[in-house]
Amino acid sequence: MAQHFSLAACDVVGFDLDHTLCRYNLPESAVLIYNSFAQFLVKEKGYDKELLTVTPEDWDFCCKGLALDLEDGNFIKLADNGTVLRASHGTNMMAPEALVEEYGRKEWKHFMSDAGMACRSGKYYFYDNYFDLPGALLCARVVDSLTKNNGQKTFDFWKDIVAGIQHNYKMSAFKEITALGRLSHFSVPGHRPSTLAENCGIYFPEIKRDPGRYLHTCPDSVKKWLQQLKNAGKILLLITSSHSDYCRLLCEYILGNDFTDLFDIVITNALKPGFFSHLPSQRPFWTLENDEEQEALPSLDKPGWYSQGNAVHLYELLKKMTGKNEPKVVYFGDSMHSDIFPARHYSNWETVLILEELRGDRDRKPEESEPLEKKGKYEGSKAKPLNTLSKKWGSFFIDSVSGLENTEDSLVYTWSCKRISTYSTIAIPSIEAIAELPLDYKFSRFSSSNSKTAGYYPNPPLILSNNETLTTK
């Protein structure tokens, strides 16, 4: 494989939407997501009201790359070889001695080879994106509550979390809001919504009521860059698991009402990672009319706006559109589970990971983590930016393994860090970071022959630069 990657060499450029093209104001969106689930658990499922109160300090628990063991209520952070680096029961961190007693130095019981281990199963759940992270804090606090109040040692609350997801993010919720036409009567998170709105959950009503509080518009540099790609003859794709109406709201806000002119193909409700892993017969494309799914298609024959679908039929259309037998596709996304791993593993696409942990890693002060225009605009306790370092869990990229008696600790890559270099072509903090580069700019790519830091642009995480030689298993 070539040592460098260039957008100029790609025929097709695809994008995820949430946290990729559309950046969220993380301190605000995290609180909204947390409250939308906490209120459901308390009011609909009878959980303790203490879940509704969150302090700014509580948010330090959030760290991408954690796994929740759904049976014992433990959160764990894995090394690249599958051993457990840190763990907590609920929000309570395990001391080193308790960690060794619980997990030893062996592989975690659910660990498998990298490609074989799903990020989600009936036994565990990996938190790998900013939609998920507020749920990690909520689940940890649920474990705390059930342990303290009920003395539970095994847990079955996950079914209630799933019900909360269905309640807040069901396809019909956004339409129900529009039909009500009384958005000004909806409450903000933390207050009881109106009776008419309760079936819609809290998340969609609040995003629709005040998008500027939660969303960042795309900078002009990104809009010009997208047009530059289009002018260069690239086919532009938007592939999102968000539903059609929500996708339209986001894109109109961040890109403008003419956003559809930029994209040749828009695929909503893509149900990633299944979009990449499922056979065409399992996941056909559907036509849309007024954002409603109408007709399942036996194949994809022309550009347009569709729902669901699969990468196989999409690639057949891309062959026709480019006139090439093997058009080269690059896909930008923020989720290793839903975007990067499946696009590389199943479709062999080039992949660009949006990794906000790289934003300002070298020179940003914590208080500068939020855009100036957002400061002081909204009241109330905010979450820390979820892309900043967790004191409880340490670095997303590396961590230390306690040495045996009379030996020093050793540094190792985390499992999350290993997956970045294995499945990403490059990793960048945001699309804005590359928008002013020429399209033929040659990025150093991650590959087996390069160092673990080669594919990070514009710079590797500072903690990796300072620890180039690490223990690998």
Side-chain angles (χ1 to χ4, degrees), residues 128-288:
D128 88 325
N129 63 72
Y130 296 125
F131 271 142
D132 280 350
L133 276 190
L137 174 59
L138 178 61
C139 287
R141 298 188 74 213
V142 166
V143 171
D144 290 346
S145 176
L146 294 176
T147 301
K148 180 179 77 171
N149 298 330
N150 302 352
Q152 284 186 217
K153 292 189 170 139
T154 58
F155 301 88
D156 63 353
F157 62 84
W158 190 250
K159 65 182 185 301
D160 296 328
I161 300 295
V162 172
I165 294 172
Q166 294 169 341
H167 176 75
N168 278 289
Y169 299 127
K170 62 182 179 180
M171 188 184 297
S172 62
F174 200 87
K175 292 181 177 59
E176 289 170 10
I177 302 162
T178 305
L180 289 171
R182 295 171 61 179
L183 295 180
S184 61
H185 293 172
F186 288 104
S187 67
V188 297
H191 299 278
R192 184 167 179 79
S194 69
T195 303
L196 283 173
E198 284 183 348
N199 289 335
C200 307
I202 292 174
Y203 181 81
F204 286 134
E206 184 61 15
I207 293 286
K208 193 164 187 178
R209 186 188 70 82
D210 192 2
R213 181 171 183 171
Y214 303 102
L215 310 175
H216 295 307
T217 57
C218 279
D220 287 341
S221 61
V222 172
K223 296 177 185 177
K224 291 176 182 175
W225 178 76
L226 291 170
Q227 190 61 57
Q228 186 183 3
L229 288 167
K230 188 91 169 169
N231 294 343
K234 310 300 180 189
I235 294 172
L236 267 57
L237 313 174
L238 185 60
I239 308 175
T240 173
S241 291
S242 289
H243 296 299
S244 179
D245 42 14
Y246 186 59
C247 170
R248 194 181 305 278
L249 170 78
L250 295 186
C251 288
E252 287 179 352
Y253 183 80
I254 68 170
L255 291 169
N257 292 338
D258 59 350
F259 77 92
T260 53
D261 295 341
L262 289 170
F263 299 101
D264 299 278
I265 302 170
V266 176
I267 301 167
T268 57
N269 195 27
L271 303 172
K272 297 176 291 181
F275 179 85
F276 296 102
S277 62
H278 282 48
L279 297 172
S281 59
Q282 297 172 294
R283 190 69 60 77
F285 280 95
W286 288 75
T287 59
L288 286 164

Side-chain angles (χ1 to χ4, degrees), residues 21 44 50-51 65 70 113 115 131 169 172 193 221 234 240 267 271 289 293 297-298 303 307 314 327 330 393 395 455:
L21 266 181
E44 302 298 328
E50 67 186 14
L51 294 177
L70 298 177
S113 66
F131 271 142
Y169 299 127
S172 62
S221 61
K234 310 300 180 189
T240 173
I267 301 167
L271 303 172
E289 184 177 328
E293 293 179 351
L297 300 174
S307 185
L314 172 61
V330 59
W393 293 102
S395 170

Side-chain angles (χ1 to χ4, degrees), residues 12-29:
V12 182
V13 185
F15 300 93
D16 173 46
L17 179 57
D18 297 283
H19 300 288
T20 299
L21 266 181
C22 178
R23 282 190 55 233
Y24 284 74
N25 180 19
L26 295 180
E28 294 287 348
S29 64

Side-chain angles (χ1 to χ4, degrees), residues 37-75:
F37 283 96
Q39 288 199 35
F40 175 82
L41 291 183
V42 171
K43 291 169 183 174
E44 302 298 328
K45 298 296 182 180
Y47 283 77
D48 197 305
K49 290 182 180 178
E50 67 186 14
L51 294 177
L52 299 175
T53 304
V54 187
T55 68
E57 293 73 28
D58 289 333
W59 290 99
D60 182 63
F61 184 83
C62 293
C63 177
K64 279 203 307 194
L66 302 183
L68 166 61
D69 188 311
L70 298 177
E71 183 177 343
D72 63 24
N74 290 351
F75 286 80

